[in-house]
Amino acid sequence: MKKNKKVLILGASSDIGLSIIQIYLKHNYEIIAHYNKGTRAFFSLVSKHNSIKKIKFNFSTSTTNIEKFTKNKIFKNCNVFINAAARLKEIKYEKVSANDVFETMKVNLLPGIMFTKILGNNMNKKKWGRIVHLSSIGVKFGGGESNFCYSLSKHGLEFFPQTVKHWIKNNVFINTVRVGVTNTKIHKNLPSKNMKDRIKLIPINRMADTSEISKLIFYLGSEENTYISNQVISISGGE
């Protein structure tokens, strides 16, 4: 791998995103941290480290704006791309509209497709790169009663274009992690979820800690990963 180590993290202000930032900081990466609204913890962390450059963008915009954003020159030399962007709006399946599906896809799927194409091509030319998308264990079960759109969009990140198989010979690896129920605000704030009942469905009988998720993501998205590509890997306590 070349000396410059530069990672783009979409959805960096989420609980898992913050944990990912922390682990890349420990390994001396330059970090481009994407956020939409941000959190106090996110801004506090960014202010303490010159190696983190924050960039704000709301993917709930036009597809033209999204394409323009993905071509920003700030991303040009990123040799690692971690896609943790997520939009989760609870809607009963019977009430899902075409617009609900489209808006969720714009946030959860389209950026992953565009950045994989653009950054992946650059990585391929430079003969090194790592891409990791975050999917959801809900994909395995068809989503919950109120998050069909979320699970459907995450399922799209498990579809690897045929082209990326040719990148492997140039040491460019792409993988998707199916993330299980994790101790984050996104679960705690969902009105439809009884977390005690949900945890009972997990064989290990507890939620994951964000650090457990970020360690796997870092491994797949680093020079430590020398052989794993085009795989969907679950970290879900046995579900």
Side-chain angles (χ1 to χ4, degrees):
M1 180 178 175
K2 295 184 179 181
K3 290 183 179 180
N4 65 305
K5 299 196 293 186
K6 187 174 182 180
V7 56
L8 166 62
I9 305 172
L10 296 187
S13 66
S14 66
D15 291 337
I16 292 177
L18 289 172
S19 186
I20 296 170
I21 289 177
Q22 292 280 15
I23 198 167
Y24 274 101
L25 281 172
K26 291 178 182 178
H27 289 81
N28 301 314
Y29 276 72
E30 180 183 348
I31 299 167
I32 299 178
H34 158 264
Y35 72 102
N36 178 17
K37 295 180 180 179
T39 62
R40 184 177 298 177
F42 172 73
F43 293 122
S44 176
L45 181 61
V46 170
S47 68
K48 295 175 182 176
H49 297 276
N50 293 329
S51 58
I52 306 175
K53 296 179 181 179
K54 67 181 188 296
I55 183 165
K56 183 177 182 179
F57 187 78
N58 183 357
F59 287 110
S60 294
T61 181
S62 70
T63 55
T64 300
N65 286 339
I66 293 173
E67 285 196 276
K68 184 178 179 180
F69 176 71
T70 60
K71 295 175 182 177
N72 191 316
K73 291 182 180 179
I74 194 174
F75 307 128
K76 186 176 180 180
N77 294 319
C78 290
N79 42 31
V80 180
F81 169 43
I82 308 296
N83 178 21
R87 177 187 190 266
L88 176 53
K89 181 180 179 182
E90 288 202 307
I91 307 168
K92 291 283 188 181
Y93 177 71
E94 308 86 71
K95 296 183 179 180
V96 168
S97 68
N99 188 63
D100 292 327
V101 176
F102 180 64
E103 289 300 316
T104 305
M105 291 290 180
K106 281 201 299 182
V107 177
N108 294 358
L109 180 58
L110 185 57
I113 293 172
M114 299 307 298
F115 273 113
T116 295
K117 182 186 73 169
I118 295 170
L119 297 183
N121 281 326
N122 290 336
M123 294 171 186
N124 193 46
K125 291 176 184 177
K126 295 179 179 180
K127 300 188 182 302
W128 199 96
R130 298 289 183 269
I131 297 172
V132 184
H133 297 292
L134 273 63
S135 180
S136 168
I137 195 62
V139 170
K140 187 176 181 179
F141 309 111
E145 292 182 359
S146 303
N147 59 13
F148 168 79
C149 295
Y150 174 82
S151 295
L152 178 63
S153 62
K154 289 295 183 178
H155 197 187
L157 296 173
E158 301 180 3
F159 183 83
F160 302 113
Q162 179 68 23
T163 300
V164 306
K165 290 186 178 181
H166 302 299
W167 297 351
I168 297 173
K169 63 184 178 183
N170 286 327
N171 208 9
V172 178
F173 298 166
I174 175 172
N175 292 285
T176 297
V177 175
R178 274 187 182 177
V179 178
V181 180
T182 308
N183 188 16
T184 63
K185 291 188 289 292
I186 196 171
H187 287 295
K188 294 175 182 177
N189 295 337
L190 292 177
S192 69
K193 277 197 175 182
N194 182 318
M195 292 312 299
K196 289 184 179 180
D197 289 343
R198 180 63 183 87
I199 290 170
K200 290 178 182 177
L201 300 175
I202 306 171
I204 203 170
N205 201 34
R206 67 171 177 85
M207 291 187 284
D209 185 78
T210 55
S211 65
E212 293 175 299
I213 306 300
S214 62
K215 286 176 184 176
L216 175 60
I217 292 167
F218 173 77
Y219 172 77
L220 293 171
S222 74
E223 60 266 39
E224 294 181 25
N225 174 19
T226 60
Y227 205 69
I228 303 171
S229 187
N230 290 59
Q231 302 300 311
V232 177
I233 300 169
S234 294
I235 177 167
S236 57
E239 278 200 282

